[in-house]
């Protein structure tokens, strides 16, 4: 069972540069807002607590004075001292026992302290310093304890106003920060998108170049990055300038390659054409000598036979090279209406005669399929495929040929065999010129290594395609050609009517 490997690339690495910059801006701004909010809260808390301590010390002084000297009516409850604010807690302890005390409600009424509240007040150190304590169900307080002649006075001021202020300010800061970060995200995304537009144009230029057919033929590599995106003072401009420089070098290299290809093609065409005359002479003299074979010694007769055989083989090679040169040069082909079913049947019949030791099978559709093409060249394609199957498979191999119409309306001819298959390292180069199944330069069957290259070139000239799929025990070549629709057939005479550009 195959296990799909997880991508080693982190999720962050799969984000676009635009997304990375926008996320970085948002995260940085969020961090700054968080730091500002935390520092502001701590600073505000320190300020408010210091202010509350000032109120605590003033209330403590009033409570201690009242508990020591008493009021106008003789009372000494520190809670009755004038100026004590709502929520203030006071307690007078003497000998560890509560003398008097309580808390003031929001309406100025005295409320007795519960045992839990008194326990929190009694545990304070008597040093006059302010402490934060939770006084029972009253909440958090800033409290202090001071000594008086007859005991200890404890005073507390509530921290609830401080906490409410901090909560309100925190919510305001959070809201402002959230709105700011959200706005910055949209504005940042717009700014990043606008800033990276030159990079998008550079990428678009590279994409247009990648779509050009650079593998063969003349390539007009005139695509360049706009001058406005090649400013060397900017990073994107440096990339655009470097890309233009690289495209210039590539264009020069492609032009030199094309010129070299043209020279080679002209040489092959000229050489092939010139070789036809001496080859014809050699074959003629060999045939003339063969007529008087009985009048020459046996070894001379055998040599003349070999000369005639090799002359035929070289003639085939020269004709193949000349055909490829013509197809490369874009020479027009004579086009007529071709009945593919009849053409396939004739090709299989001829292959059966040439290879009686193989098993030949043929499948044809019920309705005929017509295409526009050069009947001789299309026959050559089928003959090359069938010859390839016969030559490269052992006797007894089953070779099947089928003609059908695909779902997209094109005609598909498949040639399959159950032979040993094509070597994986050779498969990508099957349609290259002089591609061979082994490294040998000799061929008992007279193969030139040009059959598949000719088939591919002829099909390109007919606006068709050829594909191969091979594994041990199954090799399949699939040829696709555009079908001549009935309306076109009605308007097309049987004789050649046009020329198809190669």
């Amino acid at each position: 069972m195959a296990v799909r490997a997880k991508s080693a690339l982190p999720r962050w690495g799969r984000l676009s540069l635009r997304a990375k910059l926008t996320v970085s801006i948002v995260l940085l701004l969020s961090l700054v807002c968080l730091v500002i909010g935390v520092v502001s809260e701590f600073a505000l808390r320190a300020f408010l607590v210091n202010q509350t301590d000032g109120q605590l010390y003033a209330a403590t002084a009033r409570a201690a004075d009242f508990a020591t000297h008493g009021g106008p009516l003789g009372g000494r409850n520190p809670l009755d001292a004038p100026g004590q604010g709502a929520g203030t807690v006071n307690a007078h302890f003497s000998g560890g026992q509560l003398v008097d005390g309580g808390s003031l409600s929001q309406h100025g009424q005295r409320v007795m302290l519960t045992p839990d509240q008194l326990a929190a007040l009694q545990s304070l150190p008597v040093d006059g310093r302010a402490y934060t304590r939770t006084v029972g169900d009253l909440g958090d307080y800033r409290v202090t304890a001071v000594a008086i002649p007859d005991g200890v006075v404890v005073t507390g001021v509530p921290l609830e106003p401080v906490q409410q202020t901090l909560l309100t300010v925190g919510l305001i800061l959070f809201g402002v920060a959230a709105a700011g970060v959200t706005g910055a995200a949209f504005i940042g995304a717009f700014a990043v998108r606008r800033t990276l537009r030159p990079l998008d144009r550079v990428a678009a230029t590279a994409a247009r170049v990648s779509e050009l057919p650079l593998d063969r033929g003349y390539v007009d590599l005139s695509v360049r990055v706009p001058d406005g995106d090649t400013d060397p003072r900017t990073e994107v401009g440096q990339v655009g300038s470097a890309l233009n420089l690289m495209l210039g070098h590539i264009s020069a290299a492609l032009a030199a390659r094309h010129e070299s290809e043209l020279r080679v093609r002209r040489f092959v065409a000229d050489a092939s054409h010139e070789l036809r005359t001496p080859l014809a002479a050699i074959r003629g003299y060999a045939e003339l000598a063969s007529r008087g074979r009985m009048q020459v010694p046996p070894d001379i007769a055998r040599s003349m036979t070999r000369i005639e055989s090799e002359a035929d083989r070289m003639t085939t090679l020269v004709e193949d090279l000349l055909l490829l040169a013509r197809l490369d040069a874009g020479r027009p082909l004579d086009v007529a209406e071709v009945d593919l079913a009849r053409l396939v049947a004739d090709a299989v019949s001829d292959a059966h005669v040439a290879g009686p030791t193989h098993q030949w099978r043929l499948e044809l559709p019920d309705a005929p399929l017509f295409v526009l093409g050069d009947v001789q060249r299309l026959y050559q394609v089928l003959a090359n495929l069938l010859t390839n199957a016969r030559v490269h498979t052992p006797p007894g191999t089953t070779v099947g040929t089928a003609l059908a119409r695909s779902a997209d309306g094109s005609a598909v001819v498949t040639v399959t065999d159950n032979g040993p298959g094509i070597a994986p390292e050779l498969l990508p180069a099957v349609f290259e010129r002089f591609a061979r199944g082994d490294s040998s330069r000799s061929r008992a069957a007279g193969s030139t290594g040009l059959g598949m290259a000719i088939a591919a070139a002829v099909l390109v000239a007919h606006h068709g395609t050829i594909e191969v799929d091979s594994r041990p025990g199954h090799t399949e070549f699939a040829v696709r050609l555009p079908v001549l629709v009935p309306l076109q057939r009605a308007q097309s005479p049987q004789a050649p009517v046009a020329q198809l550009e190669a």
Side-chain angles (χ1 to χ4, degrees):
M1 178 179 179
V3 179
R4 180 177 297 178
K6 293 184 178 179
S7 174
L9 189 65
R11 181 172 298 179
W12 174 258
R14 294 196 296 268
L15 294 177
S16 64
L17 179 59
R18 184 181 293 106
K20 288 181 180 179
L21 290 175
T22 304
V23 171
S24 299
I25 292 173
V26 172
L27 291 179
L28 181 60
L29 185 59
S30 299
L31 180 61
V32 171
C33 291
L34 178 62
V35 172
I36 291 175
V38 172
V39 172
S40 299
E41 284 286 292
F42 275 104
L44 181 60
R45 185 182 187 282
F47 172 78
L48 294 177
V49 169
N50 184 60
Q51 194 177 51
T52 302
D53 288 346
Q55 298 173 1
L56 173 65
Y57 293 139
T60 299
R62 291 192 296 269
D65 181 71
F66 197 88
T68 301
H69 301 97
L73 300 178
R76 300 181 64 182
N77 188 342
L79 198 63
D80 293 334
Q84 302 295 68
T88 302
V89 172
N90 283 120
H92 179 194
F93 297 97
S94 179
Q97 300 295 323
L98 177 65
V99 177
D100 207 347
S103 63
L104 290 177
S105 67
Q106 296 295 328
H107 302 289
Q109 297 175 347
R110 184 188 300 175
V111 180
M112 298 299 296
L113 296 175
T114 64
D116 291 340
Q117 297 167 354
L118 290 173
L121 298 177
Q122 278 184 311
S123 63
L124 286 174
V126 185
D127 54 6
R129 297 175 59 183
Y131 296 92
T132 300
R133 293 288 188 274
T134 300
V135 183
D137 56 0
L138 294 179
D140 295 333
Y141 272 71
R142 290 292 284 180
V143 293
T144 184
V146 295
I148 59 175
D150 61 344
V152 175
V153 172
V154 178
T155 305
V157 176
L159 284 177
E160 183 179 359
V162 174
Q163 295 171 343
Q164 289 295 331
T165 301
L166 291 175
L167 178 61
T168 301
V169 172
L171 292 175
I172 292 175
L173 288 176
F174 176 79
V176 172
V181 170
T182 303
F186 285 101
I187 296 175
F190 174 77
V192 168
R193 182 182 296 274
R194 184 178 181 84
T195 304
L196 293 182
R197 280 179 183 174
L199 188 59
D200 292 337
R201 291 192 288 269
V202 172
T205 301
R208 289 196 297 272
V209 173
S210 67
E211 295 172 356
L212 296 176
L214 305 178
D215 57 336
R216 64 186 63 186
Y218 174 72
V219 180
D220 182 16
L221 195 59
S222 59
V223 180
R224 293 292 186 274
V225 177
D227 293 338
D229 299 328
T230 58
D231 188 352
R233 295 172 297 180
T234 64
E235 291 79 0
V236 176
Q238 294 172 7
V239 174
S241 178
L243 181 59
N244 278 351
L245 183 61
M246 182 184 68
L247 291 177
H249 291 321
I250 294 175
S251 179
L254 291 175
R257 185 207 66 182
H258 180 63
E259 184 62 28
S260 176
E261 287 181 352
L262 289 180
R263 286 197 297 269
V264 171
R265 289 173 181 173
R266 284 195 294 266
F267 169 76
V268 171
D270 294 342
S272 301
H273 182 74
E274 294 299 328
L275 284 173
R276 298 172 77 183
T277 300
L279 282 174
I282 292 173
R283 292 178 61 189
Y285 282 114
E287 292 176 0
L288 181 61
S290 65
R291 295 177 183 177
R293 192 170 300 171
M294 300 300 296
Q295 302 174 5
V296 298
D299 55 343
I300 299 297
R302 186 166 52 253
S303 297
M304 296 306 298
T305 301
R306 292 297 303 151
I307 290 174
E308 186 176 357
S309 174
E310 291 303 313
D312 290 339
R313 180 182 175 190
M314 191 170 183
T315 300
T316 301
L317 175 60
V318 168
E319 293 294 339
D320 288 346
L321 288 174
L322 189 58
L323 173 60
L324 283 174
R326 289 173 176 172
L327 291 173
D328 289 339
R331 300 282 182 85
L333 301 174
D334 292 333
V335 176
E337 183 182 295
V338 179
D339 185 352
L340 273 185
R342 177 177 297 180
L343 191 67
V344 170
D346 291 343
V348 173
S349 177
D350 295 343
H352 178 68
V353 173
T357 59
H358 284 64
Q359 301 294 324
W360 302 93
R361 294 182 179 177
L362 176 62
E363 295 181 12
L364 297 176
D366 296 333
L369 287 178
F370 292 89
V371 299
L372 280 178
D374 189 321
V375 62
Q376 297 298 329
R377 299 308 173 205
L378 291 177
Y379 176 84
Q380 187 174 6
V381 170
L382 297 177
N384 286 347
L385 292 177
L386 294 171
T387 301
N388 186 71
R390 173 174 56 84
V391 171
H392 297 288
T393 58
T397 301
T398 299
V399 181
T401 306
L403 173 63
R405 187 163 185 167
S406 64
D408 60 0
S410 59
V412 180
V413 181
T414 57
V415 177
T416 60
D417 65 73
N418 57 355
I422 302 174
E425 62 274 11
L426 180 63
L427 198 58
V430 166
F431 301 108
E432 298 294 331
R433 297 174 188 187
F434 301 105
R436 297 180 181 273
D438 54 52
S439 59
S440 174
R441 298 298 301 175
S442 63
R443 283 292 180 271
S447 174
T448 63
L450 295 175
M452 293 297 100
I454 291 175
V458 170
L459 288 172
V460 169
H462 285 80
H463 309 294
T465 61
I466 183 171
E467 299 175 351
V468 59
D469 178 30
S470 182
R471 57 184 181 275
H474 178 81
T475 299
E476 177 178 301
F477 286 87
V479 172
R480 291 180 180 271
L481 289 167
V483 174
L484 184 63
V485 298
L487 180 60
Q488 292 175 320
R489 289 193 59 210
Q491 298 175 350
S492 302
Q494 296 294 329
V497 295
Q499 289 182 329
L500 189 66
E501 294 291 339

